[in-house]
Amino acid sequence: MNDNHSTRLYLNKVNIMTHRQSQPVIVYTPESRLRHPVILLREMRRDLLASRGLAWQLLVRDIKAQYRQSLLGVFWAFLPPIVTAVALLVAKDVGAINVGATSIPYPAYVMFSMALWQTFVEALNGPVAAVGAAKPMLAKINFPREALILAKLGEVFFNFGIKLLLIVALFIWFRIPVSEMVILAPVALVHLVGLGTGIGLWLSPLGALYQDIGRAIPLLMTPWLLLTPVIYPPPTKGWFSVLVNWNPVTPLLVTVRDLATVGMVSEPAGFWWASGLMVILLLSGWLFYRLAMPFIVERMSS
């Protein structure tokens, strides 16, 4: 019996040693990884695929924590657009603001647009919040950093799924017709989320070192909201219309809204240039995030 037990232990040791020898060996050198872009892209793709399991676990954990520690739960996804719409309706009725004509009833217009804007803001804040919350884990455990970003992306789309219930209710209540072009609205929505994520990837390494980044983002969101046609229709004349049209969020958000309501894209050229910018920001932000995180982790550990 002892001989059999010793044999099993020996075989286990051999299997462990063989398993370790089959694992890739990572060697750190002072040479820049940008000198070998093909190898770098392979590593990025490998870690992105390897991070899916961990990203799912983080997503489930974060969603449970988000709604378990809240009295109103999922209603927090509905409250911001509803409160904003009510306040603007009151201001419009008393003559305090004049927003002009909208393609759908104004309450539905504001709540739908605010749900899209809130989704963009969540996508932008996601990488910054994920890296900030994972500081202790980053300093102690070596794992694919892409898992943090994928988990936050999943949370953004999960929250939008809840907001979608409000949007469907608005369409039913105000009897807004839906065209067959609505099936393309998710494509524009993905581009809107990608734009926010790309910006967040650029900010997240800096946000891990400097708390000023996290504090500055909410301050910038209010003027950025006013430059986006969320509470008013897109202007067509004057210098203000130039600022609104050059805002990259404008064509993406408007395209989602147009496809879901009127069934056409009012500014196709704007949608394509904003989508191109989204791709550039997303890929370059991922590259910057990938290269910067080892230095950020080392800085946090020291």
Side-chain angles (χ1 to χ4, degrees):
M1 181 174 181
N2 292 334
D3 293 340
N4 292 335
H5 181 67
S6 301
T7 302
R8 284 197 299 269
L9 288 178
Y10 173 76
L11 291 176
N12 287 336
K13 288 181 181 180
V14 171
N15 290 334
I16 292 172
M17 292 175 63
T18 305
H19 177 71
R20 287 178 178 175
Q21 291 173 359
S22 64
Q23 295 299 311
V25 178
I26 301 175
V27 180
Y28 295 95
T29 66
E31 185 179 15
S32 173
R33 301 171 70 189
L34 292 175
R35 292 180 178 271
H36 306 282
V38 176
I39 297 177
L40 177 59
L41 291 176
R42 286 177 181 173
E43 291 177 352
M44 292 171 64
R45 178 180 177 275
R46 180 199 65 202
D47 286 352
L48 181 65
L49 296 176
S51 63
R52 291 176 298 176
L54 178 58
W56 175 255
Q57 296 178 11
L58 294 174
L59 171 63
V60 173
R61 182 204 64 181
D62 293 343
I63 290 177
K64 287 182 178 179
Q66 179 181 352
Y67 293 108
R68 183 173 60 243
Q69 301 175 3
S70 172
L71 291 175
L72 296 180
V74 297
F75 288 102
W76 279 113
F78 302 145
L79 286 179
I82 293 176
V83 171
T84 302
V86 170
L88 290 172
L89 281 173
V90 173
K92 184 182 178 186
D93 290 340
V94 300
I97 59 173
N98 182 16
V99 297
T102 54
S103 56
I104 58 177
Y106 189 65
Y109 182 91
V110 173
M111 282 188 273
F112 187 14
S113 301
M114 279 299 300
L116 296 176
W117 171 257
Q118 188 180 3
T119 300
F120 166 75
V121 174
E122 289 176 2
L124 191 153
N125 278 323
V128 180
V131 174
K135 281 184 180 181
M137 186 168 62
L138 287 169
K140 297 178 181 178
I141 305 174
N142 185 21
F143 63 94
R145 318 301 186 199
E146 286 79 3
L148 301 175
I149 308 303
L150 289 180
K152 280 300 176 182
L153 274 175
E155 188 175 337
V156 169
F157 285 110
F158 177 85
N159 290 336
F160 182 79
I162 298 175
K163 298 182 184 70
L164 190 60
L165 299 176
L166 172 64
I167 295 172
V168 172
L170 290 172
F171 274 60
I172 296 174
W173 180 266
F174 291 99
R175 298 180 180 179
I176 301 172
V178 178
S179 70
E180 63 276 6
M181 295 296 290
V182 72
I183 62 175
L184 297 178
V187 177
L189 176 67
V190 170
H191 288 203
L192 181 65
V193 172
L195 178 66
T197 304
I199 299 173
L201 283 170
W202 275 100
L203 296 177
S204 56
L206 301 176
L209 293 179
Y210 308 106
Q211 296 182 356
D212 299 348
I213 301 297
R215 295 173 181 173
I217 290 177
L219 296 178
L220 296 176
M221 288 301 103
T222 299
W224 200 345
L225 170 63
L226 297 178
L227 289 175
T228 309
V230 172
I231 62 178
Y232 55 83
T236 57
K237 299 180 181 179
W239 62 269
F240 185 68
S241 67
V242 176
L243 293 177
V244 171
N245 290 329
W246 277 104
N247 172 10
V249 180
T250 295
L252 299 179
L253 187 147
V254 170
T255 298
V256 180
R257 190 171 59 203
D258 286 348
L259 290 173
T261 55
V262 299
M264 59 176 293
V265 180
S266 57
E267 292 291 338
F271 170 77
W272 288 115
W273 82 257
S275 297
L277 178 63
M278 177 273 298
V279 173
I280 294 173
L281 285 175
L282 190 60
L283 294 180
S284 62
W286 181 17
L287 181 62
F288 175 69
Y289 173 83
R290 175 85 182 191
L291 297 177
M293 284 308 297
F295 298 97
I296 301 300
V297 172
E298 182 180 357
R299 179 81 176 269
M300 292 187 303
S301 303
S302 59

